[in-house]
């Protein structure tokens, strides 16, 4: 089965998230390029084997996303202790994207 292509709004969301620095690095005083992390949450209608929404995305560098000991995929407990839950980060990301749109920092 072919993957469904993102809509225009989904593409805009993914680009806005990718344009932000890594949330975790930024909290540590650094600005590193991010990649898009999709949040898997049964409460939000996704989980293992279920495709998460492109709107449930946060900016994380490759290290904090998937390769560091403290990352969403390898060290989630410690990651959440240090930076907050993925849903908390999502709320902050949504506010930052909205702030940037209001200030025309991103489109």
């Amino acid at each position: 089965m072919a993957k469904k292509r993102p809509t225009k709004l989904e593409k805009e969301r993914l680009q806005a998230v990718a344009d932000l620095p890594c949330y975790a690095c930024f909290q540590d005083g650094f600005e590193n390029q991010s990649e898009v992390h999709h949040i898997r949450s049964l409460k939000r209608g996704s989980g293992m084997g279920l495709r998460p929404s492109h709107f449930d995305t946060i900016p994380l560098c490759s290290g904090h996303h998937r390769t560091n000991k403290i990352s969403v995929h390898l060290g989630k407990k410690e990651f959440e202790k240090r930076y907050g839950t993925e849903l908390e980060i999502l709320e902050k990301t949504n506010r930052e994207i909205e702030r940037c749109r209001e200030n025309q920092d991103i489109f």
Side-chain angles (χ1 to χ4, degrees):
M1 186 162 140
K3 288 184 179 180
K4 184 181 137 206
R5 293 182 185 251
T7 66
K8 182 179 183 221
L9 279 176
E10 289 171 330
K11 286 180 186 177
E12 289 172 0
R13 167 63 186 208
L14 294 172
Q15 188 60 58
V17 171
D19 287 344
L20 293 172
C22 169
Y23 175 83
C25 288
F26 195 77
Q27 297 308 304
D28 292 337
F30 304 102
E31 256 188 71
N32 288 319
Q33 184 175 358
S34 67
E35 54 189 38
V36 177
H37 168 65
H38 287 79
I39 298 171
R40 293 188 183 276
S41 170
L42 291 174
K43 292 177 187 176
R44 297 177 74 81
S46 67
M48 295 308 286
L50 300 173
R51 184 174 304 277
S53 167
H54 291 307
F55 295 98
D56 290 343
T57 51
I58 59 176
L60 296 173
C61 67
S62 60
H64 285 110
H65 184 191
R66 55 192 162 74
T67 60
N68 291 351
K69 285 183 181 177
I70 299 174
S71 67
V72 172
H73 291 292
L74 294 179
K76 190 170 189 167
K77 222 178 209 181
E78 187 61 33
F79 179 91
E80 288 184 346
K81 198 183 309 181
R82 188 175 290 186
Y83 302 110
T85 67
E86 293 170 277
L87 294 179
E88 290 169 341
I89 296 170
L90 176 63
E91 288 179 27
K92 293 174 183 177
T93 298
N94 290 342
R95 284 196 303 267
E96 181 63 13
I97 289 172
E98 188 58 36
R99 186 196 66 76
C100 289
R101 284 198 175 119
E102 288 172 1
N103 294 332
Q104 297 182 348
D105 293 340
I106 58 176
F107 300 98

